[in-house]
Amino acid sequence: MAAPLPDWLEPLPDAERMRADDAWAIEQQGVPSLDLMERAGAGLARLTAELAPEGPVAVVCGKGNNGGDGLVAARLLREQDREVRVLLTGAAEELRGDPAANLERLTGDGPEPFAPDSLTGAAAVVDALLGTGFSGEPRDPIRGAIEAINGSGAVVAAADVPSGVDASTGVVAGAAVRADGTATFHAAKPGLWIAPGKEHAGQVRVIEIGIPPGAPTRADVGLIQPQALGQIPRREPNSTKFREGAVLVVGGSAGLTGAPSLASEAAARAGAGYVTAAVPRSLSLVFELRLLEVMTRALPDEDGTLGPSAVEPALHAAERVDAMVLGPGLGRADDTLEFARELARRVELPLLIDADGLNAHAGVIDSLAQRPGPTVLTPHAGELARLLDCPSAEIEAERLRHARAAADASGAIVVLKGDDSLVAEPAGRVAVSPGGAPALATAGTGDVLSGTIGALLAKGMPAFDAACAGVALHAEAGRRAAGVHGPDAVIASDVIASLPAARER
């Protein structure tokens, strides 16, 4: 069973938990369901008015509670003297319960059947078609309505979740509304922050609808908040370089000296007191000249690549450090991959594996479950696809499921990188990065993340906490670097330079 979410993760309840919270509020706390819908519709109307302060509004309603929320929004927008058309994708007689009650409350013109040209001239469209309970691929007439909304050219506000997006997972199996903003009720849902659903949500606005505090359900997915940085240990007056955490970065090969250098420098900037780069002996002069604040440890190599003969020296180098980063710039020679597998199996330190350290475990990710120490894996979608032996397109389509599968198989904390970086632990908890750092889409920033998390592991932080704080610190550094250089001009070393200011946040 997953542990409770820490207070620096904003709970993201899935559809099942959201239904349970609604039922608890209505059945055990005596909150009228019509009141919940009224507040939801009011929040939806506010968001619509903010996105499109003037001009006609078209509210497109399905027959469920999501449609009821849209009917409330339509009534309230009309009360603000907005021109509003209400469009139903089904017959009005199909509405039941609270949606039917809100159809009766609707003032002004009655609803019209939806038609492809119904949205002509609308400045804003309210998507109130499908709610959080939807999964799968929309069928007509809903599919046709979604396509018309996307082609309308109007500003789009979605009720709770853009129609066609799986609220619990972010999966988009077919047509899905692309909203400019989503008014989500009580709490944001995982699918609003996890790609590809995140790309459809636009601005996410959480609307308080009156569910009392203390609902018994507990989310196991959470959004990383800035407070995650507050758990990083700080240097004290009596600190020493050894007490602040020693990191060993193992990697490098001919033509790939930049990656371990970036990881090592990031570890130092993220607060490690002592960093050593264990690199091929034939390339050690390159690192000696390049790294001023980082020690180097020469490992036996052959033609600039590490092999099995380097395992024992690497283990010896690991005896006086607190965490290891394995993989940056390692290369993919057969002997090198064997070296990475053997070293990962035997080292007892907290271990972060990235890049070719991950490729060494392609198809044998379950072997990591036998490791004697904590493990963090930091794959992008392509690397995770190789680890799980499946197409990368499948990873991108179902990121949450595959991150959890990898964590379960490996017994490790898995950081599936992206704008929505997911931090999954074997017990089921998942942290989601809010992202918003496009500057990180450049070579080398993954190595910066590896070094950053490695430093936090060396400071003794639990692996899940270190990974979450590292992801948050990395993203904030990316945003700050973009503020100086512009997002399109940022390079990895700019992100390293921004780590200190990001941490002080």
Side-chain angles (χ1 to χ4, degrees):
M1 182 177 179
L5 297 181
D7 57 9
W8 42 265
L9 287 180
E10 176 189 328
L12 301 176
D14 59 20
E16 182 180 356
R17 289 175 171 86
M18 195 63 244
R19 283 193 297 270
D21 282 354
D22 283 344
W24 173 80
I26 295 165
E27 297 168 9
Q28 298 188 38
Q29 302 300 305
V31 180
S33 58
L34 269 172
D35 288 358
L36 298 178
M37 186 171 285
E38 185 71 16
R39 296 188 185 100
L44 178 59
R46 287 195 300 273
L47 178 62
T48 303
E50 290 178 23
L51 292 174
E54 55 186 30
V57 179
V59 181
V60 188
C61 299
K63 63 182 180 181
N65 282 343
N66 206 245
D69 300 328
L71 290 168
V72 173
R75 169 169 46 84
L76 296 176
L77 287 168
R78 283 177 173 173
E79 290 176 1
Q80 299 168 24
D81 295 325
R82 295 294 292 268
E83 179 186 341
V84 180
R85 294 180 72 187
V86 177
L87 306 166
L88 300 183
T89 55
E93 308 84 67
E94 295 180 328
L95 273 61
R96 299 286 185 273
D98 292 345
N102 275 300
L103 181 58
E104 292 181 4
R105 292 180 175 183
L106 186 65
T107 56
D109 294 339
E112 308 168 39
F114 181 85
D117 61 353
S118 301
L119 306 180
T120 301
V125 176
V126 175
D127 161 31
L129 290 166
L130 300 171
T132 56
F134 168 81
S135 63
E137 186 174 352
R139 295 175 294 182
D140 283 329
I142 299 296
R143 179 174 57 190
I146 289 172
E147 291 170 351
I149 290 171
N150 288 341
S152 68
V155 170
V156 178
D160 215 5
V161 63
S163 295
V165 173
D166 188 311
S168 299
T169 64
V171 169
V172 176
V177 166
R178 289 194 173 272
D180 295 282
T182 299
T184 191
F185 309 133
H186 178 59
K189 317 306 183 292
L192 299 176
W193 287 105
I194 298 174
K198 177 179 183 177
E199 297 157 11
H200 290 253
Q203 174 190 154
V204 176
R205 178 76 56 83
V206 177
I207 305 300
E208 177 55 56
I209 61 173
I211 294 178
T217 55
R218 191 175 70 194
D220 56 12
V221 179
L223 189 67
I224 300 173
Q225 300 298 293
Q227 294 89 326
L229 302 182
Q231 63 180 321
I232 300 174
R234 302 185 69 87
R235 293 179 185 174
E236 302 293 341
N238 62 346
S239 293
T240 68
K241 61 185 177 184
F242 299 108
R243 289 176 60 179
E244 289 307 310
V247 178
L248 182 68
V249 177
V250 181
S253 59
L256 296 173
T257 59
S261 298
L262 290 168
S264 299
E265 290 173 336
R269 279 296 187 192
Y274 198 96
V275 182
T276 302
V279 297
R281 178 175 288 119
S282 64
L283 302 175
S284 61
L285 181 60
V286 174
F287 293 96
E288 291 280 357
L289 294 173
R290 183 168 190 164
L291 299 172
L292 298 181
E293 292 89 359
V294 174
M295 308 298 109
T296 56
R297 183 71 173 262
L299 300 179
D301 71 290
E302 184 172 340
D303 297 326
T305 62
L306 299 174
S309 64
V311 171
E312 293 299 335
L315 289 171
H316 181 68
E319 291 176 357
R320 298 189 63 184
V321 301
D322 303 296
M324 177 185 290
V325 175
L326 171 63
L330 202 57
R332 299 192 189 184
D334 290 343
D335 281 355
T336 302
L337 299 182
E338 181 183 343
F339 159 79
R341 287 190 293 270
E342 178 72 5
L343 184 58
R345 183 180 68 83
R346 293 177 58 186
V347 70
E348 298 182 4
L349 296 169
L351 173 66
L352 184 142
I353 307 178
D354 187 26
D356 290 324
L358 296 171
N359 291 322
H361 293 87
V364 291
I365 187 175
D366 55 341
S367 66
L368 293 168
Q370 306 305 315
R371 263 195 31 78
T375 311
V376 177
L377 312 180
T378 57
H380 55 57
E383 290 163 340
L384 187 59
R386 290 189 282 275
L387 287 171
L388 296 178
D389 193 21
C390 69
S392 58
E394 291 185 10
I395 303 293
E396 294 288 32
E398 299 185 70
R399 288 173 60 80
L400 180 60
R401 180 171 76 84
H402 287 101
R404 279 177 158 159
D408 181 64
S410 64
I413 305 300
V414 173
V415 181
L416 176 53
K417 294 184 286 195
D419 186 56
D420 63 333
S421 290
L422 307 181
V423 183
E425 67 173 4
R429 283 192 307 179
V430 178
V432 184
S433 172
L440 295 176
T442 187
T445 57
D447 304 306
V448 175
L449 177 64
S450 296
T452 299
I453 297 175
L456 304 187
L457 289 171
K459 289 179 172 294
M461 293 180 66
F464 180 76
D465 296 7
C468 291
V471 165
L473 183 58
H474 184 244
E476 178 64 16
R479 288 188 287 270
R480 288 177 179 265
V484 176
H485 303 284
D488 296 319
V490 167
I491 59 176
S493 58
D494 297 329
V495 181
I496 295 173
S498 297
L499 285 169
R503 182 173 171 179
E504 287 307 308
R505 174 176 178 176

